[in-house]
Amino acid sequence: MEIRSPAFKENARAALDDPQLRHALEHVKSGFIVKRAMAAEALPEFEKLRDSSKAIKDETLANLDKYLEAYETKVTESGGHVHWAESAADARDIILKICQSVGARTVTKGKSMISEEIELNDFLEGNGVQPVETDLGEYIIQLRGEHPSHIIAPAVHLARSQVEADFRRVHTHLPVDRDLTEPVTLLSEARKVLRAKYFQADVGITGANFLVAETGTSVIVTNEGNGDLTQILPKVHIVLASIEKIVPTLSDLSQVLRVLARSATGQDMSVYTTLSTGPRRAGDPDGPEQYHVVLLDNGRSSMIGTEFQEMLRCIRCGACMNHCPVYHAVGGHTYGWVYPGPMGSVLTPSLIGVDKAGHLPNASTFCGRCEAVCPVRIPLPKMMRHWREREFSRRLNPATQRYGLKAWAFFARRPRLYRLATSIGIPVLSLFGGRGRFKSLPLAGGWTRHRDMPAPEGRTFMQEWKQREAQKQGARI
Amino acid sequence: MNQQTPQSRRVGLFVTCLVDLFRPSIGFASVKLLEDAGYTVDVPMAQTCCGQPAYNSGDREDTIAIARKTIETFEDYDYIVAPSGSCAGMLKKHYPALFKDGDWAERAKAFSAKVYELTSFLTDVAGVDHVDVVHPGSVTYHDSCSGLRELGIREQPRKLLRSVGGLEIKEMPESDVCCGFGGTFCVKYPDISNRIVEDKTDSIRQSGAKTLLAGDLGCLMNMAGKLQRQGSDVEVRHVAEVLAGMCDTPAIGRRKD
Amino acid sequence: MSGREAILNRLRVALREGKDDATREQAVQARIAAAPRGVVPMRGRLPDDDRVTLFCAMAQKVSATVERVGSSANVPGAVAAYLRQRNLPARVRMGADARLGAMPWNTEPSLEIDSGRAQDEDLAGVSHAIAGIAETGTVVLHSGQDNPTTVNFLPEHHLVVVRAKDIVGDLETVFDQVRQTFGKGHMPRTLNFITGPSRSADIEQTLLLGAHGPRALHVIVVDGD
């Protein structure tokens, strides 16, 4: 997808001016947060499970090459095929070749953010294969020619009336007088339309929440059941997963599953957790005849051994964005690429370059709520700061910012000069702030555009303190 | 164990640059609270700023230089106390991470172990459980992010506030959500910061309290500025001013009429 | 160089620091072989009766309906009654599962049973679970010759039979059983963990049942046998 991250500020402005979006984002704020808190509260072992999940992902990443090889061996043993894709283009080509090998015309898809990352849909369409998204939210987004604004709730930015308009525009074969005013009628219609697609599809593509090295198993977690119908009805099941999705064993899977749904939607367990291993077995009445796994790198292996390695623990629950005040204000599309919110602010610069995604790690107040809820305890603010450090050392941030900062630091490093400058400047500033605050202030337009600036009380604390101490001394003599 | 009397324990007050420049009253209130708790308070003149503006802008070199200066200035005190969760968090949690190993890493570690935010120092170290002051009226308390999430400060200021005569705490919804200040964030992304602080002032109004308190001047200036732009008559003060009974100065952003 | 080698090489170089390849390989194989258990919630560690009660409560909490019958002989009657109460045709899709096959379906002569994989128009499907999980109210089913996975997803109503004695406390216990049944490192093609009926909250975060899978999940717990 087109990278719109450099226009983050403009995107944000447009988002802030959109009252419908503001209304939609209220759902994120109220729903997800309370549900997660209740689920975490109800399980006494939740914090320990977070530690355990973090440790599992750390162990996996520290030996990722070995676990990937072990995983591959088991997939092959069970009759599946593993394909390794270094880049998005490699992954697209591999998938297209598989589709072409079975003469596929229609492909159903379970929700996969990786598929957004490699821009699979446009590519397949351009090559004569029709992709159909089956997750309700993702289906709506596809009809609109949009991209997800949230990694687990792709259509969270939309109102039901917008969905109704899209369904009427696209589902022209259905009676015009049908009722589409309620979510329930919209869901029924989507169910009916997509049922037909599942049976039409020659290939089903799903993502994977986890890959288990012990057994060569791919795991998907959904609430709708779309991921299951996508993989059990067509002849071919393709799993598209990035390399860091590995967990060592089924025991480890138990741990991460317990934190995933609770962190994401506040469920103890998502409705469908499905473990798939190889193609259908001899005598099986259903299931795919071919099973392929496409392992995508696309820049991830270069994060190993760097200060960004911990980002690869991410299990894509969305809790960080659900709790982010910046995400609440601007929504997911503002971030301008596939991954929004705090996890995107760390991951996106790794995948598309900090020169393009520089705003993302900067547009954070470092309030720390993301880290506080991350099920695998990724220090997101710390990593955003690492990106700022890289930007600073590469001189990528605006010159005015750099010079301002350097001038300030010059004084902050020299206490005597600092004292002198502030003891002159502050009383003067205070003098002008006659009403106790400023409505506008030169060089502080960013502040005073939206709020008043409290004026200094008078002299600095240090001036007053020195005087108090001198008086004390005098009194003693 | 600690055989010394508090009087022989010396606290170095890290004033914070914002308090130094904008609101000395908070500094004096902090001194009073610490002295009332029986400590000897000193304010070393060689302090400037904790370095967060540089640190959060990716300027590691200047951050380290500032951190060294601060450590040198304060490392001989028994305790280093700051009337700010954000600056105390920087000194306590982030300084040690700036130095990989060697002499400075050791010094930073020893230094950070002695750093506290003011209200948590009073309750958790000094064992203060009440203050003998009166402040009639209702207050609401905003939990500033660094204090809350880096230092675990939530109950401490409330515990002390509950001992203030005539004071009623009216909690706002989502008191733990960021106010949108974020240091340089509020000037780099003013429109987003504005939306966040608008939501915050909504919450403050919903509390129905007459006074807004918090433990960080940056957040307070942000919220006070917004409240005043909106024409609100909610008074904004640092929690130390109320606890020290030093509310004779006009509230933040106000002048004596 | 193939993509595979390129990716693995990059990882190897980045990870080599500290430990050599052979040591890491050994450690990884040992960990996979040992499959150590992590944190298992106390919630499911209960005496048998309480565990079944918790399972039922948890399943109901996620909008499944639950009924308990005294013996497997009661299952056909329970299935027929379920359909009658909801005005559904007396017809179910069912695999050739031996446990289901052993039940006295002839006691419900009006009930039509379609065997084999499910079809789009099927209204009700009956499956037998290998286990129930008390900590979450989950039923566990696997694919196989006699257990079409489509029965779990295509019908509007999914009826799942689970024996009370197969209801375990936690996920780990199920995985141990799967390892025993299929051999360590081996799995059935599909292992389904189902926790309530299908749902979606994708439109304005309004939670609705029956997205793509069954609109209703009915769990029949068999206490006897």
Side-chain angles (χ1 to χ4, degrees), chain A residues 91-147:
Chain A
R92 289 190 298 253
D93 288 339
I94 291 164
I95 291 169
L96 180 64
K97 279 216 183 84
I98 299 170
C99 291
Q100 286 170 338
S101 73
V102 292
R105 309 260 311 265
T106 304
V107 168
T108 42
K109 293 179 66 206
K111 202 176 95 61
S112 153
M113 292 308 294
I114 308 286
S115 145
E116 300 284 339
E117 181 183 326
I118 68 167
E119 302 169 81
L120 183 60
N121 286 2
D122 286 351
F123 180 77
L124 289 178
E125 250 184 290
N127 285 281
V129 180
Q130 180 58 45
V132 180
E133 294 289 351
T134 60
D135 171 85
L136 176 60
E138 194 87 19
Y139 175 67
I140 294 165
I141 295 299
Q142 190 185 22
L143 295 185
R144 297 175 65 83
E146 286 184 357
H147 298 281

Side-chain angles (χ1 to χ4, degrees), chain A residues 119-254:
Chain A
E119 302 169 81
L120 183 60
N121 286 2
D122 286 351
F123 180 77
L124 289 178
E125 250 184 290
N127 285 281
V129 180
Q130 180 58 45
V132 180
E133 294 289 351
T134 60
D135 171 85
L136 176 60
E138 194 87 19
Y139 175 67
I140 294 165
I141 295 299
Q142 190 185 22
L143 295 185
R144 297 175 65 83
E146 286 184 357
H147 298 281
S149 70
H150 189 291
I151 61 171
I152 66 159
V156 76
H157 59 289
L158 296 174
R160 68 181 74 172
S161 56
Q162 291 168 294
V163 180
E164 177 183 357
D166 292 321
F167 280 13
R168 292 203 185 279
R169 177 172 56 80
V170 178
H171 301 160
T172 45
H173 61 293
L174 295 172
V176 284
D177 58 349
R178 67 198 191 279
D179 176 21
L180 284 180
T181 54
E182 290 301 318
V184 64
T185 51
L186 292 166
L187 175 67
S188 280
E189 177 156 320
R191 180 184 170 108
K192 196 192 290 174
V193 171
L194 286 169
R195 256 307 158 90
K197 299 287 185 189
Y198 289 123
F199 282 94
Q200 245 175 51
D202 309 291
V203 173
I205 301 177
T206 67
N209 294 86
F210 304 103
L211 304 172
V212 185
E214 178 188 353
T215 50
T217 299
S218 56
V219 183
I220 60 166
V221 171
T222 75
N223 278 321
E224 298 185 2
N226 62 309
D228 290 282
L229 290 171
T230 296
Q231 65 164 289
I232 56 180
L233 292 174
K235 292 190 288 285
V236 179
H237 177 197
I238 302 175
V239 178
L240 173 60
S242 49
I243 53 173
E244 81 280 15
K245 297 287 179 191
I246 298 264
V247 292
T249 68
L250 296 170
S251 314
D252 299 313
L253 179 65
S254 312

